[in-house]
Amino acid sequence: TARPARCLLDECKVQNCPTCANDTCSKVGQECEDPDTTATSTGDWVCKCPPPSTHQATAKPAVCEIDECDIPENNCTANCIIPNTPNCQQVCFDPNTAPDSLGDWTCTCPPPTSGKAQAHAALCTVDECVEHGATCIAEGQTCRDLNTSKLNDWECVCTAPAKGSATAQKATCILNECIEDCDTCSKNTCKDAGQTCEDPNTSESSKSDWTCKCPPPSTNTATGKPATCEVDECKENGWKCTADCTGVLNCAQQCFDPDTNATSLDDWKCVCQPPSTDSAVTKAAICTVEPCIHDNEPACEQDPDGCEWSLLPTPVCKPIPCQHTKEVDCKTETGCEWLVYSGASTNAGTGAVSYEVLVPVKPFP
């Protein structure tokens, strides 16, 4: 009113004008928009692609594209459980963004992993033995990757019959030759002999050192073969030889096992010490001695009963000590000889000489 009118021209809505859209956009399923509807602004209408496609074109239909990787539902991280792992770092790619080419987007795993999937998340895998296998091979071991969807879980595994493994490094291998089956192993050698197998060094480099050990109470071991088992029955029964002894001879018995072979049992004996020659099997002996044989014949030949055995430190037949300890006792009895450290005479038989007498040494006929 009272001024020039402000004329509007929405070229998307007006039909049959030279510059209008005239349903150009709608015919291809696109939306028409006129950014400037003033009457002087013509030919600036645009066709816009419908979501999720993109692009627009002025005064003509747009060439629409759909990058399916931009669609939130198209998730390449669906298998992401642990952050910063390959499954969480997949790359989405749409090889054909034409609207009529849908469902061709892919998820690709990052190096060094492998894996690719179309229209859904991939499961990324990596065989770490490709990179680290040489570490194991250098030690004569095998590389194994138990879970190719994880990193740093590869391991070196010992070669049979050795056992052992280690994660991300060479393994310390154990070879128990008593248990495993190998060229140098016992293979029940000890067991078949009724013995116990022991491997003193289970390092893989220590071979043929297994031993067979005799079962108690037998003793002995042997390396790489059955042992010759021995049973010294005196170790268990030796105390019985002197358990209830009386007298020097009976208490000086010793145990002796003449045959220590494990199959020869109950043959141990108690043996008396010289001068006795008695013995008894599996029990204490009763030790006796023959009459004393005089070692000092000049002193004892006139008196066979005047000598006795002295057992310590070694058995010896010696004269019986003189029973008299005073000079006066010898004045009336012939048969004592005295050892004198002062005085001129060693004969106290007559009692005519007075001197210091210390020890009577032997009888005298």
Side-chain angles (χ1 to χ4, degrees):
T1 301
R3 60 184 175 83
R6 181 174 179 271
C7 299
L8 299 176
L9 176 61
D10 187 339
E11 294 176 286
C12 291
K13 296 179 180 180
V14 177
Q15 298 290 326
N16 300 319
C17 73
T19 61
C20 291
N22 298 319
D23 296 329
T24 301
C25 298
S26 61
K27 289 178 180 178
V28 293
Q30 299 177 16
E31 181 183 357
C32 182
E33 286 188 4
D34 189 346
D36 187 351
T37 58
T38 59
T40 58
S41 177
T42 59
D44 60 345
W45 54 274
V46 295
C47 288
K48 294 183 69 175
C49 297
S53 60
T54 59
H55 290 302
Q56 64 182 24
T58 302
K60 63 180 180 179
V63 178
C64 296
E65 292 185 351
I66 299 178
D67 189 341
E68 295 181 275
C69 291
D70 294 333
I71 302 174
E73 291 79 7
N74 295 345
N75 185 5
C76 280
T77 60
N79 293 325
C80 175
I81 298 176
I82 303 175
N84 300 320
T85 57
N87 280 328
C88 302
Q89 300 168 342
Q90 299 182 40
V91 178
C92 184
F93 175 66
D94 190 349
N96 188 345
T97 57
D100 59 351
S101 179
L102 299 178
D104 60 346
W105 59 280
T106 61
C107 293
T108 304
C109 296
T113 61
S114 60
K116 185 176 182 180
Q118 181 174 330
H120 61 83
L123 183 61
C124 300
T125 62
V126 56
D127 186 353
E128 294 182 282
C129 288
V130 174
E131 179 181 356
H132 301 289
T135 300
C136 305
I137 294 173
E139 301 295 326
Q141 301 169 14
T142 303
C143 184
R144 178 175 64 186
D145 192 348
L146 294 177
N147 189 343
T148 55
S149 64
K150 293 176 60 178
L151 296 177
N152 299 319
D153 66 334
W154 62 277
E155 59 184 21
C156 288
V157 182
C158 299
T159 304
K163 294 185 180 297
S165 63
T167 301
Q169 61 181 330
K170 67 179 182 180
T172 299
C173 299
I174 295 176
L175 176 60
N176 189 330
E177 295 180 284
C178 292
I179 299 175
E180 309 303 338
D181 184 11
C182 64
D183 292 339
T184 63
C185 292
S186 65
K187 296 181 179 178
N188 293 327
T189 300
C190 302
K191 182 180 179 181
D192 293 343
Q195 301 173 19
T196 303
C197 183
E198 292 184 357
D199 190 345
N201 187 344
T202 56
S203 171
E204 186 181 22
S205 60
S206 178
K207 297 180 179 179
S208 300
D209 60 343
W210 55 273
T211 61
C212 288
K213 186 176 182 180
C214 296
S218 59
T219 58
N220 283 359
T221 61
T223 300
K225 62 181 180 180
T228 301
C229 297
E230 295 183 351
V231 179
D232 186 349
E233 295 182 279
C234 287
K235 291 181 178 180
E236 180 179 354
N237 301 295
W239 64 274
K240 298 177 182 179
C241 292
T242 57
D244 299 311
C245 68
T246 57
V248 176
L249 282 174
N250 284 325
C251 293
Q253 298 182 50
Q254 292 185 356
C255 185
F256 174 65
D257 190 346
D259 187 354
T260 57
N261 191 291
T263 60
S264 178
L265 300 177
D266 295 327
D267 59 345
W268 63 277
K269 62 177 66 177
C270 293
V271 180
C272 297
Q273 298 303 297
S276 177
T277 58
D278 295 314
S279 65
V281 178
T282 68
K283 62 181 180 180
I286 298 175
C287 301
T288 60
V289 293
E290 297 295 330
C292 185
I293 306 300
H294 306 306
D295 292 336
N296 194 346
E297 291 295 337
C300 297
E301 61 184 0
Q302 300 294 325
D303 187 4
D305 296 326
C307 294
E308 68 178 1
W309 285 103
S310 175
L311 301 178
L312 297 175
T314 57
V316 62
C317 190
K318 72 175 187 177
I320 298 174
C322 179
Q323 302 300 311
H324 307 294
T325 59
K326 297 180 181 179
E327 179 185 0
V328 66
D329 294 327
C330 292
K331 290 180 179 180
T332 57
E333 179 181 335
T334 302
C336 288
E337 179 177 338
W338 302 83
L339 179 63
V340 179
Y341 289 92
S342 63
S345 174
T346 59
N347 188 353
T350 64
V353 180
S354 177
Y355 54 88
E356 182 180 359
V357 179
L358 298 179
V359 180
V361 293
K362 61 182 178 178
F364 194 81

